Amino acid sequence: MKKLVLASNNAKKMKELNALLAPLGFEVIPQGQLGIPEAEEPHCTFVENALAKARHAAQHCGLPALADDSGLCVKALGGAPGVISARYAGEPKSDARNNEKLLADLAGQSDRRAHFVSCLVLCRSADDPQPIIAEGEWHGEIVDQYRGDGGFGYDPLFFVPEFGKTAAELDADTKNRVSHRGRAMQKLIERLPEL
C-alpha cells in the first residue's frame, strides 16, 4: 500500500478523500497524526494555497503529500467567501457562524447562484518541480433554509438542482461522485500512474 499524507486536519475531508483513494491502494495519513502543523494559507487563489499546504506537509514528513484547498464562490457576493470559506465569519472556524453570515450577506439578493471549487495538489516531494494539479467545480444555488444533516460546511444551504436536494441531503457515495472534490479527484486519479 502506497502512503500519502493529507495536508489537512479536517476529519470530514479526510473521510471523503480516503473513500476515493483507498480502492486505488493508497493509505492516506492525516498530517496531524505525523505531528505536522497546519501550513499558512496567505494566498488569494485556491491553487496557491493548496500548493503551499502540499509542499509544507511533504517537507515535514518526506512522503508524497496531497492538499485540497476548496471553498464556496457566490455570484452575488463577487465570488466570496472564496478562499476564506472556512473562516468567513472569523476565528475560530465555525460552520454554523459561516452559514449564518452567508445568509445575512445574501439577504434581499435574488441571484443565488453559487459553486464550490476544489483544487487538489499532489507533491511527490517538497521540491517537486511538476506537482499534479486537478480542479473541480460543482454548481448550484444557495437556499434560505438549512436542509439535511450530511456533509459539512455550507452543504445544508447548497442546493443542487439536478438532484432537487442540498449537498447535505445527498448520500455520501453520490456526493463523492458529483461534488467539486469528487470531480477534482477523478482528474487527479487519471494522473496517478505518474507516481
Side-chain angles (χ1 to χ4, degrees):
M1 175 133 337
K2 295 172 254 182
K3 291 186 178 183
L4 257 183
V5 64
L6 176 63
S8 174
N9 293 319
N10 182 320
K12 293 181 178 180
K13 192 179 284 190
M14 172 74 186
K15 185 177 178 183
E16 280 186 13
L17 291 171
N18 225 354
L20 293 162
L21 286 169
L24 302 171
F26 285 91
E27 178 188 355
V28 182
I29 305 162
Q31 66 181 8
Q33 192 174 308
L34 300 174
I36 301 169
E38 287 202 7
E40 294 292 316
E41 299 177 55
H43 305 289
C44 61
T45 66
F46 295 109
V47 68
E48 289 172 299
N49 283 331
L51 184 56
K53 291 191 278 190
R55 287 201 190 283
H56 173 81
Q59 184 174 30
H60 276 77
C61 69
L63 291 169
L66 176 65
D68 166 61
D69 199 56
S70 52
L72 178 70
C73 299
V74 180
K75 181 85 170 162
L77 302 178
V83 295
I84 63 162
S85 290
R87 295 173 176 83
Y88 190 44
E91 293 287 354
K93 295 180 198 176
S94 165
D95 288 349
R97 287 189 309 109
N98 288 338
N99 282 317
E100 289 167 18
K101 178 170 171 46
L102 177 64
L103 290 176
D105 290 352
L106 278 174
Q109 294 282 347
S110 58
D111 186 352
R112 310 295 283 212
R113 291 176 292 167
H115 65 278
F116 277 117
V117 174
S118 171
C119 184
L120 295 174
V121 172
L122 190 141
C123 286
R124 291 164 276 250
S125 63
D127 57 357
D128 188 343
Q130 196 173 13
I132 298 173
I133 300 172
E135 195 170 274
E137 291 186 7
W138 193 20
H139 292 263
E141 55 195 55
I142 304 303
V143 292
D144 283 323
Q145 299 295 321
Y146 293 84
R147 291 177 40 186
D149 53 12
F152 61 98
Y154 300 95
D155 288 356
L157 297 175
F158 186 76
F159 182 76
V160 187
E162 67 185 290
F163 293 100
K165 296 178 177 181
T166 66
E169 293 175 303
L170 295 175
D171 64 85
D173 288 342
T174 301
K175 184 184 175 197
N176 285 343
R177 190 178 72 251
V178 302
S179 74
H180 52 307
R181 196 167 293 112
R183 292 173 193 208
M185 184 56 73
Q186 288 310 312
K187 292 177 185 174
L188 185 81
I189 286 169
E190 289 168 14
R191 298 185 59 194
L192 282 180
E194 298 174 24
L195 274 181

